[in-house]
Amino acid sequence: MLETLDPRCVKDAMITCPKTLSEDSSVEEVRRFFADDHVHLALIVDLNGRLLTTLERSDIPAEAAGSAKASFFGTILGRTVEPQRSLDAASAALQSTGRRRLAVVDDEGKLLGLLCRKRIGLGYCNDAGVAARAAGLAKSTRG
């Protein structure tokens, strides 16, 4: 029995409006950002939307000062993917590194979206699901 390959590209499965932080964001701002357990990758962009770096929780040392510039601790190495890359290839890259998120960037480094593998490993998050979750959170905080 042959395994079926997914004919889609990364651009077909990415979230198109990921949350971002500015290049001046502090460590404390990123720590607050990570307070949401659904957030796994902080995307630091410049004013033109170019991805400067990414941060995972483990990138920031516990002893880092809250006022420190967060981008100092980040990297894009192994954390980006091109929109035209096959979804199967991106999935294999995520699985081999034990990650669930890749920033999607164009040839100039502009952030286009976020490829976000679901927690259970089957499929990808989408804009509608993210919006529904955000609406549910807003409703629960109004209370």
Side-chain angles (χ1 to χ4, degrees), residues 26-77:
S26 68
V27 165
E28 183 57 38
E29 288 174 275
V30 173
R31 286 179 176 146
R32 280 194 305 270
F33 191 67
F34 284 138
D36 180 343
D37 67 344
H38 286 84
V39 175
H40 297 270
L41 189 65
L43 305 168
I44 308 288
V45 297
D46 69 13
L47 293 174
N48 297 315
R50 191 172 53 91
L51 182 68
L52 300 175
T53 196
T54 68
L55 291 142
E56 294 178 344
R57 283 175 180 84
S58 61
D59 292 334
I60 301 175
E63 66 275 5
S67 61
K69 193 170 179 177
S71 61
F72 175 77
F73 300 101
T75 185
I76 58 170
L77 188 61

